[in-house]
Amino acid sequence: MTKKLTRMFVCLVGLLILGSAVASAGQYNAVVDIGAPMPEFSDLPATDGSTLSSDDLEEDIVVLVFLANHCPWVKGMDADLVALVDELEGQSVRFVGVSVNHRDDDRLPAMKEHALANGYNFTYVFDESQALGRRLGATTTPEYFVFGKDRRLAYMGLIHNSPASKRRDGTVNYTRGEPTDFYVRDAVAALSAGDEVPVAETRSHGCSVEYQRADG
Amino acid sequence: MPLPRRPTLLRHSALATVIVAMIACAGPAADAPPAATGRDAAAVELRPVTVEEWRIELARLEGRIAVVDMWATWCIPCIERFPHMVELFHRYEAEGVTFVSVCLDDPGDEQAVASARRFLEGQRAVFANYLITENTADAFEKLDLLSIPAVFIYAADGELRYRLTADDPNDQFTDSDVEAAISNLLGELPLV
């Protein structure tokens, strides 16, 4: 009888642990939820020839954005990202673009060309290990993760409420017209002011991030 | 029970490479090497529907196992996987499995829609193909999609039994997951 009770207790504890693990996922993210710590990373090669580690980030706010050169949703929103970085210049905010796909057109040589052609005004790194993307549950490009001074996740998802893609004729199409809700900008403003982030998670939209299989 | 899903393995077959290069160049997909089927490309249709109309079409499939492939020409993994879906269609059609594709290209981008149609023709995708006419972001939300490719597999009773996606970096689906799901559902059917 005692053994049976012990087994039931162990099972109950196991279920509770499993339940808490599942609850750690966000509404649209299978891996992390708001409040998750920023994963550490080291010596990721950047398009400017430097390397970047998480310890190098001294700013109060860090914005990690997963990008993929080939993706029309990245191309459609490149200008919005560059404009936002410009707008926040002078504030203690650091934007870091991250590419994790292993396709040739998403690797470092192509990243350098893409950054140059699109006026990227932020550090753009390649994470061949894909560890950063995996640990943050990043599955689309572009997808934003905003961390406060405590390096806890404060926002994840879209840059704004009207995802845009670059059409075949080169024009940009905003799916929901002119954007009206600027989630990343609002999250940065709230964190800077010490306020609660108004919208902490949105459904990101874009191209799939392609993760390698363990045996691949 | 849903199958365990595993990280995506991109199968860079020679055929997939040719198809991707063709799409990237916005060249006519109809010029693609013919798929392994003798059916006429003229039988390939891409029918515009709203999400609500798609749901009605989906409900009509009840009574058969249905494999729904969500794709777009801007989604390279979708293009790479599509030939496998066509192959499965030919393998399982006689066993009563229905295959359907739902295209999520920008309905306002005429070149993209034309490219999607040419791609389907090049693939001899002679099953039902739908193009969602709502803006892509809203369509993803209504279909509860985070990303594509995604394959939804419905049992004969209409229940969504396998939702194969790339939504979890550590659990992205593979082609073999699609095959295993179909095989499992076929195994559940009563012997005639």
Side-chain angles (χ1 to χ4, degrees):
Chain A
M1 183 67 181
T2 310
K3 279 186 179 174
K4 195 174 179 182
L5 282 172
T6 306
R7 269 204 306 272
M8 285 176 66
F9 178 74
V10 169
C11 284
L12 184 62
V13 170
L15 283 171
L16 285 172
I17 291 169
L18 184 65
S20 65
V22 170
S24 70
Q27 187 179 356
Y28 306 116
N29 188 305
V31 178
V32 297
D33 201 354
I34 298 303
M38 188 176 82
E40 292 183 358
F41 55 88
S42 61
D43 298 326
L44 299 182
T47 53
D48 63 2
S50 66
T51 59
L52 185 74
S53 301
S54 47
D55 288 346
D56 300 332
L57 303 170
E58 295 174 343
E59 291 78 1
D60 289 348
I61 297 165
V62 172
V63 181
L64 300 180
V65 51
F66 288 83
L67 301 170
N69 304 321
H70 81 273
C71 174
W73 298 96
V74 169
K75 293 174 184 171
M77 288 184 273
D78 267 340
D80 295 341
L81 167 57
V82 168
L84 182 61
V85 176
D86 269 343
E87 181 186 326
L88 298 175
E89 191 182 358
Q91 298 187 34
S92 189
V93 184
R94 179 74 178 268
F95 280 78
V96 178
V98 185
S99 181
V100 301
N101 283 336
H102 283 193
R103 307 170 43 78
D104 282 347
D105 51 0
D106 286 341
R107 285 178 175 271
L108 205 52
M111 288 167 58
K112 288 178 181 174
E113 288 177 20
H114 186 86
L116 192 63
N118 292 280
Y120 275 12
N121 46 2
F122 51 87
T123 309
Y124 188 22
V125 299
F126 180 55
D127 179 16
E128 178 139 28
S129 75
Q130 302 188 312
L132 194 50
R134 282 187 195 278
R135 291 178 66 187
L136 284 172
T139 53
T140 59
T141 56
E143 185 170 358
Y144 287 77
F145 295 84
V146 180
F147 298 87
K149 198 169 186 175
D150 59 1
R151 294 296 184 261
R152 294 276 169 179
L153 184 61
Y155 171 77
M156 59 179 164
L158 297 165
I159 185 172
H160 54 58
N161 67 335
S162 187
S165 66
K166 195 166 195 176
R167 286 179 164 169
R168 304 288 176 103
D169 63 6
T171 60
V172 171
N173 175 54
Y174 284 88
T175 52
R176 294 170 177 144
E178 277 296 301
T180 53
D181 300 317
F182 296 87
Y183 306 118
V184 175
R185 181 204 285 164
D186 290 350
V188 168
L191 287 169
S192 298
D195 295 335
E196 191 175 335
V197 171
V199 177
E201 185 179 2
T202 54
R203 178 192 292 270
S204 62
H205 183 86
C207 303
S208 295
V209 177
E210 304 159 37
Y211 289 96
Q212 300 300 111
R213 288 168 56 109
D215 57 1
Chain B
M1 288 292 288
L3 292 177
R5 289 168 289 151
R6 289 165 294 172
T8 299
L9 169 65
L10 292 177
R11 296 170 190 277
H12 295 287
S13 65
L15 177 60
T17 307
V18 168
I19 292 163
V20 170
M22 178 182 69
I23 292 295
C25 298
D31 294 343
T37 166
R39 294 198 193 184
D40 191 350
V44 175
E45 288 183 38
L46 181 59
R47 184 177 157 196
V49 289
T50 62
V51 170
E52 202 47 49
E53 288 166 341
W54 154 243
R55 288 193 176 121
I56 292 167
E57 294 300 319
L58 179 62
R60 287 185 180 147
L61 299 178
E62 195 169 323
R64 296 166 64 92
I65 295 168
V67 180
V68 179
D69 184 16
M70 309 279 187
W71 74 289
T73 59
W74 51 262
C75 165
I76 292 172
C78 300
I79 298 300
E80 290 173 335
R81 284 182 183 280
F82 206 93
H84 183 246
M85 295 301 293
V86 176
E87 182 193 323
L88 292 179
F89 161 69
H90 289 294
R91 194 188 309 168
Y92 289 109
E93 182 187 21
E95 295 189 54
V97 179
T98 298
F99 283 74
V100 175
S101 85
V102 174
C103 180
L104 289 151
D105 268 298
D106 175 358
D109 187 342
E110 291 178 8
Q111 290 183 43
V113 173
S115 180
R117 190 170 282 113
R118 287 193 301 264
F119 174 74
L120 291 170
E121 289 168 359
Q123 290 293 308
R124 308 293 194 268
V126 292
F127 39 77
N129 303 289
Y130 298 95
L131 169 73
I132 299 295
T133 54
E134 284 144 282
N135 83 64
T136 316
D138 285 350
F140 269 58
E141 199 164 321
K142 290 178 180 177
L143 294 167
D144 193 22
L145 286 171
L146 286 180
S147 62
I148 52 175
V151 178
F152 292 178
I153 304 178
Y154 296 82
D157 64 3
E159 184 192 355
L160 174 59
R161 290 283 296 280
Y162 295 91
R163 188 178 181 282
L164 305 176
T165 71
D167 295 350
D168 183 342
N170 303 303
D171 193 19
Q172 295 185 322
F173 81 99
T174 66
D175 287 345
S176 59
D177 290 333
V178 179
E179 291 189 50
I182 294 169
S183 180
N184 281 358
L185 288 179
L186 282 171
E188 292 177 10
L189 293 178
L191 294 174
V192 179

